[in-house]
Amino acid sequence: AEDTGVRVELNEEDDGEKVSIALKLWVEDPKKLKGKYKDTGAIEFTFDLVNEVPEVVAQEMVESGFFLDCDVKVVGKSIRDRVALIKWRRERTVSSGN
Amino acid sequence: GETAQVVHSAGRKFIVSPVPEARLKEP
């Protein structure tokens, strides 16, 4: 995935089945953000892999004061990339099991 | 480390925790 300066990792082991999964997001390189970033730490949250949209969660983070509006796209993309990877791994696991 | 909880109006919980230092610069 592209290096956005925002890192998103799994915050629990993926059993390959649960729809809602715990993620952890933190800023690895503040220089890649357009807005001035407050060093608040890592943000833990749960994400519904089926029903939720990464950009909506990013917008909620903006509204909660973690990021500025100008960075909503980069935060959303970072979450989207991680979610895509989780889904890809799951598909690969399922297909290799068949 | 210290943690703080922020609940967005949509009901989502954000928990702020220390950045995992060992994982800051993974290759």
Side-chain angles (χ1 to χ4, degrees):
Chain A
E2 186 187 329
D3 183 7
T4 58
V6 178
R7 194 164 182 101
V8 184
E9 294 283 350
L10 277 169
N11 202 29
E12 65 178 339
E13 199 164 323
D14 182 14
D15 66 359
E17 291 181 3
K18 62 181 80 169
V19 172
S20 186
I21 197 151
L23 298 176
K24 190 173 208 171
L25 177 151
W26 68 94
V27 175
E28 201 169 47
D29 187 356
K31 286 180 292 220
K32 292 200 171 170
L33 296 178
K34 291 177 189 164
K36 195 171 181 184
Y37 170 70
K38 288 182 291 180
D39 188 13
T40 45
I43 305 163
E44 299 176 19
F45 60 101
T46 56
F47 185 85
D48 186 318
L49 293 166
V50 176
N51 300 306
E52 287 193 310
V53 179
E55 285 75 10
V56 172
V57 181
Q59 185 62 41
E60 291 176 7
M61 288 183 180
V62 169
E63 289 165 10
S64 298
F66 293 113
F67 296 99
L68 294 177
D69 200 41
C70 55
D71 289 316
V72 70
K73 278 189 183 172
V74 75
V75 175
K77 176 176 172 31
S78 305
I79 300 171
R80 180 170 288 280
D81 284 351
R82 174 58 57 184
V83 166
L85 183 63
I86 293 167
K87 288 181 176 175
W88 177 79
R89 275 185 185 157
R90 284 187 174 193
E91 283 171 14
R92 198 177 61 160
T93 305
V94 169
S95 58
S96 65
N98 287 339
Chain B
E2 289 180 17
T3 59
Q5 188 170 299
V6 176
V7 181
H8 184 257
S9 55
R12 184 187 308 280
K13 268 188 221 167
F14 293 120
I15 296 168
V16 180
S17 63
V19 171
E21 283 183 32
R23 299 163 73 184
L24 262 177
K25 284 291 172 189
E26 274 184 2

